[in-house]
Amino acid sequence: MTKIEIIKEVKNETGVDERTISFVLESVLKQIQESLERKESVFLRGFGTFEGKLRAEKKARNISQGTTVTIPAHHVPHFKPAKDFKKKLDK
């Protein structure tokens, strides 16, 4: 499902115009992203938690050149679904 499809579904459910829904959705996503950049987690009850995880430094092989490269430690976004959400997916 794309962002546009989400906006259309919300419009069908609520009757709110697409422009307003798009503005709110973009604002929510921006707040989540900015929180993760500040190393804060975002908890949405019944949905899940967005958080940043630190990936350790590791060695990798460049197969085409036959060399070994070091991938530095870095943060990646991570989503952990809530228990109720996971149960719904298992059905």
Side-chain angles (χ1 to χ4, degrees):
M1 180 175 255
T2 64
K3 194 183 305 184
I4 292 170
E5 292 170 334
I6 291 171
I7 291 168
K8 288 180 181 179
E9 288 292 322
V10 172
K11 179 186 177 193
N12 292 338
E13 283 187 29
T14 63
V16 177
D17 66 292
E18 290 181 12
R19 186 174 175 165
T20 302
I21 296 167
S22 177
F23 178 76
V24 171
L25 180 58
E26 288 292 332
S27 181
V28 168
L29 295 175
K30 180 182 172 191
Q31 292 302 316
I32 291 171
Q33 185 177 9
E34 288 176 357
S35 293
L36 293 178
E37 288 172 3
R38 292 189 304 266
K39 310 286 190 270
E40 299 172 354
S41 63
V42 178
F43 173 69
L44 302 173
R45 186 174 305 282
F47 186 71
T49 304
F50 294 92
E51 58 190 359
K53 284 198 167 189
L54 178 64
R55 298 283 171 138
E57 181 180 284
K58 64 180 181 178
K59 302 256 187 237
R61 298 257 318 140
N62 183 337
I63 296 172
S64 63
Q65 295 180 352
T67 59
T68 301
V69 294
T70 301
I71 300 172
H74 59 283
H75 285 88
V76 294
H78 176 74
F79 175 72
K80 181 179 177 185
K83 287 181 184 179
D84 292 341
F85 184 38
K86 286 168 63 171
K87 286 179 185 177
K88 288 179 183 179
L89 293 177
D90 286 338
K91 290 182 181 180

